[in-house]
Amino acid sequence: MRSIRKVGGLALAVVALIAAAPAGSNDDPQSYARRIPIVVAPGSTVQRLTMPAAVLAASRTATLSDIRVFDAAGRPMPIARVAAAAGPARRYDLSALPILGAADALTVTGVSLRLDGAGNARVAQVDGTPSGRPVEAIMLGILLDARTVAGSADTLTLDADVPRAQPVTFTVEASADLQDWRSLGEQVVYRTAGTAGIAIKLGGAVLDHDYLRVTWRAASRLLAPVTIRKAALLMQPAAAASVSIAASLPPLGDAHAVEFEWPSASVIDTLGIITTGNDVLVPVRVFGRDDREQPWTLIGSGTAARATAEATPSRGIALNARAYRTVRIEADQRSTGFTSPPAVRLGFSSRAILFLAAGKPPYILTSGRANAPDVYLPAGALMSQASGGPVPSATTAAVEFVLRLAPVHDATAVRRQTFLWGLLLAATALLAAMAWVLWKRSVAAQPGSSNS
């Protein structure tokens, strides 16, 4: 029995090692999911290369640490990051429109408490009638019309009067239709003087011709009203360019929704949705989340439209600057939805690298390996090898990719299936070990046999 346990344990260890063995290494071009040939420009061994969308979409690291350039011999070339060129930051002055509401919709004039016969307060009843006084309107918040603004928001500055020595929490939300609101930022303000400029950081939240709503609250009753006269919106510098890739969606879950997994760590900046079949215009909202335990988060809204030769190409729906593992495209419930899965185009901010073409051509650009270490060098180290003058720009081969987006899978089902397969392999190995031991015993028990 002890030999059976030893053989079974050895078999299980071998199975575990085989399952855990990595495929390839970080210095093996074949271990990367995406490989695209590079066309080197003449003039210098130092080359600038703008990464195509197919490479960004395949990346498995948020910092693009899995980007590599290999030569024909499979040797990795030195690379360095290049800061993306950006335009100037823009400021928008917005007028504050009041949002009014009733201070107290129902005021009662009398209150009575009825007790039971034993004097216990078992039944309580409030009797009263509306006071009849005119309803006093108070300011519940302000509305800012930012429908001329699109891009990533940096800061919202409010010219406001706030109560002294009292913490007040300001909340900023955005909506395209004044119905569905998404949170952009929040700031707690404490002032020793009443008048102040309040700067609320928005952290690059994406605006796409939206309304903004600013509300406030305090832990106790405000000692003085909050007054906001105007606001200024500072937008982050826009990227100089963007790259995109066509993608195909999985089958529709129903006529009004389609979900897909996003395995890449790259952030989708824009999502262009092109209707197919008999669909022409479909209002849509885009949601994201990381797992089934989380609620859906609204990350963008717009219209899916058919692509025609006469129509102006759309930039796509701007999405919040965050990578979600699962994305849901939902058609407006008031519409007929989709008759067939729409085509989509994923847009990314342009990213570039420097690489040293010091190996044996041709070269390839690769990405798509999880947990790859960061091997970027300082840009100055590569520039020391430049021949002088402008750095030439290499290009990638014109290869058209259509990214196939996978349907959402049930992670618990995958774990359950993996466990069952492991259990089956373990049972098979144990049965094989037992059969081998029994066979050895039967051979040893035969007349004329001897143990060596």
Side-chain angles (χ1 to χ4, degrees):
M1 184 59 68
R2 181 177 300 174
S3 60
I4 293 178
R5 285 198 295 267
K6 288 183 179 179
V7 174
L10 180 61
L12 290 177
V14 171
V15 170
L17 288 174
I18 293 176
S25 67
N26 294 315
D27 294 332
D28 179 11
Q30 300 301 318
S31 66
Y32 292 82
R34 183 75 72 227
R35 301 180 295 275
I36 300 180
I38 299 174
V39 180
V40 175
S44 176
T45 56
V46 179
Q47 302 273 312
R48 178 188 175 97
L49 177 63
T50 299
M51 287 178 281
V55 168
L56 298 177
S59 177
R60 294 297 184 268
T61 60
T63 59
L64 300 180
S65 62
D66 59 343
I67 298 294
R68 298 288 188 277
V69 174
F70 292 96
D71 70 354
R75 296 181 301 170
M77 297 290 100
I79 59 175
R81 290 185 173 90
V82 176
R90 299 195 63 181
R91 173 192 170 102
Y92 296 87
D93 292 322
L94 306 175
S95 299
L97 306 175
I99 302 175
L100 302 179
D104 195 350
L106 182 66
T107 302
V108 296
T109 56
V111 178
S112 65
L113 181 64
R114 294 185 179 179
L115 306 178
D116 61 10
N120 298 320
R122 298 184 182 276
V123 179
Q125 180 174 336
V126 177
D127 294 325
T129 58
S131 63
R133 294 195 303 267
V135 176
E136 179 186 358
I138 64 170
M139 184 178 294
L140 303 178
I142 63 165
L143 186 69
L144 304 173
D145 190 350
R147 288 178 294 172
T148 60
V149 182
S152 299
D154 182 79
T155 307
L156 180 67
T157 302
L158 305 175
D159 180 14
D161 294 333
V162 296
R164 297 184 182 184
Q166 190 173 16
V168 179
T169 302
F170 288 84
T171 302
V172 183
E173 299 169 291
S175 173
D177 56 6
L178 298 177
Q179 293 183 354
D180 299 309
W181 296 89
R182 63 186 188 277
S183 178
L184 301 183
E186 197 170 78
Q187 182 77 32
V188 179
V189 176
Y190 180 88
R191 291 289 181 261
T192 56
T195 302
I198 301 170
I200 303 174
K201 288 292 185 180
L202 302 182
V206 176
L207 297 181
D208 188 16
H209 309 286
D210 295 311
Y211 292 98
L212 299 183
R213 181 173 68 181
V214 181
T215 56
W216 50 87
R217 67 183 186 275
S220 59
R221 186 180 182 90
L222 291 174
L223 302 177
V226 173
T227 303
I228 299 178
R229 287 174 289 274
K230 59 182 179 180
L233 181 63
L234 182 64
M235 302 297 292
Q236 291 181 351
S242 62
V243 293
S244 62
I245 183 173
S248 62
L249 292 171
L252 295 173
D254 56 62
H256 286 84
V258 58
E259 299 176 6
F260 64 88
E261 287 191 342
W262 181 238
S264 174
S266 295
V267 176
I268 304 174
D269 288 336
T270 60
L271 179 62
I273 306 175
I274 303 96
T275 55
T276 59
N278 297 324
D279 305 325
V280 180
L281 293 175
V282 180
V284 297
R285 295 188 299 170
V286 185
F287 299 87
R289 67 181 180 186
D290 291 326
D291 56 62
R292 292 180 179 269
E293 303 300 324
Q294 296 179 344
W296 289 107
T297 300
L298 180 65
I299 59 176
S301 61
T303 303
R306 177 176 296 179
T308 62
E310 297 80 10
T312 302
S314 173
R315 179 176 175 268
I317 299 172
L319 304 182
N320 284 350
R322 186 190 185 289
Y324 289 93
R325 306 300 296 176
T326 305
V327 179
R328 174 183 176 92
I329 301 174
E330 186 177 284
D332 193 313
Q333 295 296 326
R334 295 168 295 183
S335 70
T336 58
F338 299 109
T339 59
S340 60
V344 295
R345 195 161 192 91
L346 311 177
F348 307 91
S349 297
S350 181
R351 307 287 289 273
I353 61 170
L354 294 177
F355 76 93
L356 191 63
K360 180 181 179 181
Y363 301 90
I364 59 172
L365 175 66
T366 67
S367 72
R369 181 174 174 83
N371 302 319
D374 193 317
V375 297
Y376 289 98
L377 299 176
L382 267 68
M383 290 303 297
S384 66
Q385 304 298 311
S387 58
V391 176
S393 295
T395 58
T396 52
V399 180
E400 182 63 27
F401 288 95
V402 177
L403 189 64
R404 297 181 64 87
L405 300 172
V408 179
H409 74 284
D410 187 352
T412 58
V414 173
R415 289 194 295 267
R416 187 165 55 251
Q417 186 180 29
T418 303
F419 172 76
L420 291 176
W421 272 108
L423 188 63
L424 179 61
L425 289 174
T428 302
L430 184 60
L431 289 175
M434 294 176 64
W436 181 78
V437 171
L438 292 175
W439 175 77
K440 290 288 291 182
R441 288 180 176 177
S442 64
V443 171
Q446 292 179 1
S449 63
S450 60
N451 293 326
S452 56

mmCIF file of all heavy atoms in Angstrom, residues 91 183 186 202 226 247 256 311 451:
data_model
loop_
_atom_site.group_PDB
_atom_site.id
_atom_site.type_symbol
_atom_site.label_atom_id
_atom_site.label_comp_id
_atom_site.label_asym_id
_atom_site.label_seq_id
_atom_site.Cartn_x
_atom_site.Cartn_y
_atom_site.Cartn_z
ATOM 1 N N ARG A 91 -9.986 75.290 -21.730
ATOM 2 C CA ARG A 91 -10.854 75.716 -20.637
ATOM 3 C C ARG A 91 -12.184 76.177 -21.225
ATOM 4 O O ARG A 91 -12.230 76.913 -22.221
ATOM 5 C CB ARG A 91 -10.198 76.857 -19.859
ATOM 6 C CG ARG A 91 -11.089 77.497 -18.800
ATOM 7 C CD ARG A 91 -10.465 78.782 -18.287
ATOM 8 N NE ARG A 91 -11.398 79.541 -17.449
ATOM 9 C CZ ARG A 91 -11.359 79.566 -16.129
ATOM 10 N NH1 ARG A 91 -10.430 78.879 -15.490
ATOM 11 N NH2 ARG A 91 -12.229 80.287 -15.442
ATOM 12 N N SER A 183 -21.583 59.171 -12.257
ATOM 13 C CA SER A 183 -20.753 59.975 -11.366
ATOM 14 C C SER A 183 -19.401 60.259 -12.000
ATOM 15 O O SER A 183 -18.767 59.364 -12.581
ATOM 16 C CB SER A 183 -20.572 59.250 -10.032
ATOM 17 O OG SER A 183 -19.733 59.982 -9.173
ATOM 18 N N GLU A 186 -16.153 63.702 -6.784
ATOM 19 C CA GLU A 186 -16.715 64.190 -5.532
ATOM 20 C C GLU A 186 -15.609 64.879 -4.742
ATOM 21 O O GLU A 186 -14.442 64.472 -4.796
ATOM 22 C CB GLU A 186 -17.315 63.024 -4.739
ATOM 23 C CG GLU A 186 -18.270 63.428 -3.634
ATOM 24 C CD GLU A 186 -18.995 62.227 -3.063
ATOM 25 O OE1 GLU A 186 -18.370 61.507 -2.259
ATOM 26 O OE2 GLU A 186 -20.177 61.989 -3.407
ATOM 27 N N LEU A 202 -11.707 65.583 -11.693
ATOM 28 C CA LEU A 202 -12.548 64.627 -12.416
ATOM 29 C C LEU A 202 -11.748 63.450 -12.963
ATOM 30 O O LEU A 202 -12.334 62.511 -13.509
ATOM 31 C CB LEU A 202 -13.287 65.338 -13.552
ATOM 32 C CG LEU A 202 -14.180 66.511 -13.110
ATOM 33 C CD1 LEU A 202 -14.899 67.108 -14.307
ATOM 34 C CD2 LEU A 202 -15.180 66.072 -12.055
ATOM 35 N N VAL A 226 -25.761 77.444 -0.046
ATOM 36 C CA VAL A 226 -24.660 77.351 -1.001
ATOM 37 C C VAL A 226 -25.078 78.086 -2.274
ATOM 38 O O VAL A 226 -26.172 77.863 -2.795
ATOM 39 C CB VAL A 226 -24.319 75.883 -1.323
ATOM 40 C CG1 VAL A 226 -23.300 75.804 -2.447
ATOM 41 C CG2 VAL A 226 -23.803 75.173 -0.079
ATOM 42 N N ALA A 247 -13.694 44.867 -35.244
ATOM 43 C CA ALA A 247 -13.940 43.705 -34.391
ATOM 44 C C ALA A 247 -15.332 43.164 -34.677
ATOM 45 O O ALA A 247 -16.230 43.904 -35.096
ATOM 46 C CB ALA A 247 -13.805 44.068 -32.916
ATOM 47 N N HIS A 256 -31.905 43.358 -27.632
ATOM 48 C CA HIS A 256 -31.516 44.642 -27.065
ATOM 49 C C HIS A 256 -30.160 44.620 -26.360
ATOM 50 O O HIS A 256 -29.784 45.638 -25.764
ATOM 51 C CB HIS A 256 -32.586 45.131 -26.081
ATOM 52 C CG HIS A 256 -33.828 45.639 -26.741
ATOM 53 N ND1 HIS A 256 -34.847 44.794 -27.135
ATOM 54 C CD2 HIS A 256 -34.201 46.893 -27.095
ATOM 55 C CE1 HIS A 256 -35.803 45.516 -27.697
ATOM 56 N NE2 HIS A 256 -35.435 46.786 -27.682
ATOM 57 N N ALA A 311 -22.071 59.354 -45.586
ATOM 58 C CA ALA A 311 -22.045 59.780 -44.185
ATOM 59 C C ALA A 311 -20.630 60.143 -43.760
ATOM 60 O O ALA A 311 -19.646 59.555 -44.211
ATOM 61 C CB ALA A 311 -22.587 58.676 -43.285
ATOM 62 N N ASN A 451 12.670 -12.114 -7.192
ATOM 63 C CA ASN A 451 12.766 -10.658 -7.078
ATOM 64 C C ASN A 451 14.218 -10.246 -7.248
ATOM 65 O O ASN A 451 15.116 -10.775 -6.599
ATOM 66 C CB ASN A 451 12.252 -10.181 -5.712
ATOM 67 C CG ASN A 451 10.756 -10.427 -5.577
ATOM 68 O OD1 ASN A 451 10.017 -10.342 -6.547
ATOM 69 N ND2 ASN A 451 10.342 -10.732 -4.351
#
